[in-house]
């Protein structure tokens, strides 16, 4: 069996780096892309801000508390998409096996490539050099023989770093890895693993498959394989959309029935437009409600047909909202998502796209 040569390229603080590139006055300063309002959220931040503990998805209030001098910049998604397209064209000069994970990162399979280069490490160097020359931005990269290792490796020496994990290094690399660094293990799962004495890759590798599946369900098989550096997933050129949705955090809490229905109506329209644009079909609608105290609930409804018309989306989203006891509640966020897609009935890797 041919051993694959996989590169994972991850742009460094992408949105923030674009803003610093385009505005020299922001260079070297702690900036956050997002809204500075009381209800604002940091989309991403510069490495200067990260030194203070500021992170993506953090509330703007907390970010300003950690870093009083932080500068908030409104996002320019059209510009980010344009730069992302530039980077994608660079990738296409080296291989046609490209799997974007988001606007700022992708897997590349360079086992066979267009530049007749046998070393994946050299290709990663060339790609990073081209990105810097053409966009003025830095990228970090991980190189290995599977996606799991390449993904983790790309995060080891950020920013502007390159990490290579060769086959003979894989076992030791995974064993010393803190469990929080494993791709696919979030905070809640990591805490659960700690309770069972699993703190790193070596601890995880010491657990039997039946134990991991008992503790973590279907994910147990994934964890079992990752602990042994086994990942047979191929780099896929196309990904299947699994859901379409929209959500909104409000400047002021919604306290009346009229306000809730009016704001929900706007979200329904947005979701409907995205469904039309993507030609998406789903059977399940989910309502997300977050209250002023940050408690959150979700309510779902599955129908026999498809959510392809605005009337259907409006009918069931409103029904879910009215069925939820909210008489005295103060709502800070509403969200509507359509899922259970037509493609779910087919084989293939799927990726949830959050809007």
């Amino acid at each position: 069996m041919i051993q694959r040569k996989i590169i994972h390229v991850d742009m460094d603080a992408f949105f923030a780096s674009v803003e610093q590139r385009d505005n020299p006055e922001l260079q070297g300063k702690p900036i956050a892309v997002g809204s500075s309002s009381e209800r604002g959220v940091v989309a991403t931040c510069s490495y200067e801000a990260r030194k203070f503990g500021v992170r993506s998805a953090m509330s703007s209030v907390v970010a300003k508390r950690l870093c009083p001098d932080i500068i908030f910049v409104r996002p320019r998604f059209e510009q980010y998409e344009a730069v992302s397209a530039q980077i994608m064209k660079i990738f296409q000069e080296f291989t046609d096996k490209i799997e974007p994970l988001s606007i700022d990162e992708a897997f590349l399979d360079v086992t066979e490539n267009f530049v007749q280069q046998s070393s994946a490490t050299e290709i990663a160097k060339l790609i990073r050099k081209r990105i810097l020359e053409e966009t003025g931005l830095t990228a970090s990269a991980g190189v290995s023989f599977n996606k799991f290792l390449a993904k983790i490796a790309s995060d080891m020496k950020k920013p502007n770093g390159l990490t290579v994990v060769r086959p003979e290094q894989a076992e030791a690399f995974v064993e010393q890895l803190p469990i929080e660094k494993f791709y696919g293990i979030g905070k809640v799962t990591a805490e659960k693993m700690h309770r069972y004495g699993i703190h790193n890759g070596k601890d995880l590798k010491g657990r039997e498959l039946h134990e991991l599946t008992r503790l973590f369900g279907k994910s147990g098989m994934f964890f079992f394989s990752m602990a042994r550096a086994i990942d047979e997933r191929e780099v896929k050129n196309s990904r299947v959309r699994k859901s379409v949705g929209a959500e909104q955090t409000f400047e002021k809490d919604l306290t009346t029935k009229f306000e809730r229905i009016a704001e929900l109506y706007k979200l329904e329209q947005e979701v409907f437009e995205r469904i039309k644009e993507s030609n998406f079909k789903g059977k399940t609608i989910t309502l997300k409600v977050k209250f002023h105290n940050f408690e959150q609930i979700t309510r779902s409804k599955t129908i026999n047909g498809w959510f392809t018309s605005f009337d259907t989306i409006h009918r069931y989203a409103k029904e879910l909202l009215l069925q939820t006891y909210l008489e005295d509640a103060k709502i800070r966020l509403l969200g509507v998502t359509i899922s259970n897609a037509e493609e779910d009935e087919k084989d293939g890797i799927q990726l949830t796209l959050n809007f």
Side-chain angles (χ1 to χ4, degrees), residues 9-282:
V9 180
D10 192 2
M11 300 301 298
D12 298 321
F14 183 49
F15 294 177
S17 295
V18 172
E19 296 301 336
Q20 288 180 317
R21 181 199 69 176
D22 293 351
N23 185 350
E25 294 182 0
L26 297 177
Q27 292 178 8
K29 296 181 179 179
I31 73 166
V33 177
S35 170
S36 62
S37 68
E38 185 178 344
R39 294 290 175 79
V41 176
V42 175
T44 192
C45 59
S46 65
Y47 284 95
E48 293 85 357
R50 296 183 189 194
K51 293 177 182 177
F52 292 86
V54 180
R55 294 289 182 268
S56 300
M58 178 179 285
S59 76
S60 300
V61 172
V62 174
K64 284 184 280 189
R65 187 185 308 140
L66 292 172
C67 182
D69 294 327
I70 197 166
I71 301 169
F72 280 86
V73 181
R74 288 203 167 274
R76 299 179 297 149
F77 291 110
E78 288 187 1
Q79 177 71 345
Y80 309 147
E81 289 172 358
V83 177
S84 179
Q86 278 185 279
I87 296 166
M88 184 61 64
K89 286 183 179 179
I90 293 172
F91 293 161
Q92 291 168 349
E93 294 177 14
F94 292 87
T95 180
D96 58 357
K97 293 184 178 179
I98 305 166
E99 182 179 327
L101 295 183
S102 64
I103 194 172
D104 62 347
E105 62 175 319
F107 286 114
L108 291 79
D109 186 335
V110 296
T111 311
E112 298 177 0
N113 56 79
F114 300 147
V115 292
Q116 305 302 311
Q117 172 60 257
S118 61
S119 170
T121 303
E122 291 303 315
I123 293 177
K125 290 178 180 178
L126 289 170
I127 289 173
R128 293 172 62 242
K129 183 173 183 288
R130 287 289 309 283
I131 290 174
L132 181 61
E133 290 174 346
E134 295 197 19
T135 71
L137 303 173
T138 63
S140 294
V143 179
S144 196
F145 57 91
N146 65 38
K147 292 166 69 174
F148 169 67
L149 292 171
K151 170 72 174 175
I152 295 175
S154 67
D155 199 41
M156 299 301 291
K157 296 180 182 177
K158 273 186 159 293
N160 197 25
L162 172 63
T163 300
V164 181
V165 181
R166 295 180 172 85
E168 64 273 16
Q169 301 170 322
E171 183 177 355
F173 178 82
V174 173
E175 286 187 355
Q176 57 80 38
L177 202 65
I179 211 68
E180 291 84 358
K181 294 287 187 180
F182 274 66
Y183 181 56
I185 296 182
K187 181 179 179 180
V188 174
T189 302
E191 289 175 352
K192 184 176 180 179
M193 286 190 172
H194 287 318
R195 291 198 298 270
Y196 289 102
I198 302 173
H199 301 282
N200 54 39
K202 187 175 182 179
D203 295 333
L204 185 61
K205 188 177 179 180
R207 301 305 175 98
E208 298 292 336
L209 176 59
H210 67 84
E211 182 182 6
L212 292 176
T213 52
R214 176 175 59 82
L215 294 174
F216 303 103
K218 293 180 180 179
S219 297
M221 173 61 82
F222 174 78
F223 299 150
F224 182 84
S225 298
M226 295 304 104
R228 290 156 178 78
I230 299 171
D231 183 5
E232 297 179 353
R233 295 173 301 160
E234 295 182 5
V235 172
K236 298 284 187 179
N237 290 337
S238 62
R239 305 296 297 237
V240 179
R241 176 168 292 176
K242 194 176 180 181
S243 67
V244 172
E247 62 180 44
Q248 177 67 46
T249 300
F250 307 107
E251 293 289 340
K252 295 182 179 180
D253 292 329
L254 308 181
T255 57
T256 69
K257 179 180 177 180
F258 174 80
E259 289 175 333
R260 296 163 185 163
I261 293 178
E263 294 297 339
L264 184 66
Y265 189 87
K266 297 176 185 177
L267 288 173
E268 293 162 357
Q269 288 180 312
E270 191 169 348
V271 171
F272 176 60
E273 289 301 319
R274 288 172 175 170
I275 283 175
K276 286 198 302 181
E277 290 173 4
S278 59
N279 196 29
F280 181 85
K281 295 171 70 175

Side-chain angles (χ1 to χ4, degrees), residues 261-320:
I261 293 178
E263 294 297 339
L264 184 66
Y265 189 87
K266 297 176 185 177
L267 288 173
E268 293 162 357
Q269 288 180 312
E270 191 169 348
V271 171
F272 176 60
E273 289 301 319
R274 288 172 175 170
I275 283 175
K276 286 198 302 181
E277 290 173 4
S278 59
N279 196 29
F280 181 85
K281 295 171 70 175
K283 294 182 177 181
T284 300
I285 187 168
T286 300
L287 173 72
K288 175 181 175 182
V289 182
K290 185 179 289 185
F291 302 104
H292 74 291
N293 60 358
F294 290 89
E295 289 185 5
Q296 180 177 303
I297 61 171
T298 57
R299 298 287 185 268
S300 297
K301 175 75 174 181
T302 299
I303 62 175
N304 291 327
W306 304 101
F307 284 98
T308 54
S309 71
F310 175 78
D311 290 343
T312 307
I313 295 171
H314 175 62
R315 172 189 168 189
Y316 286 100
K318 182 179 177 182
E319 180 182 299
L320 290 172

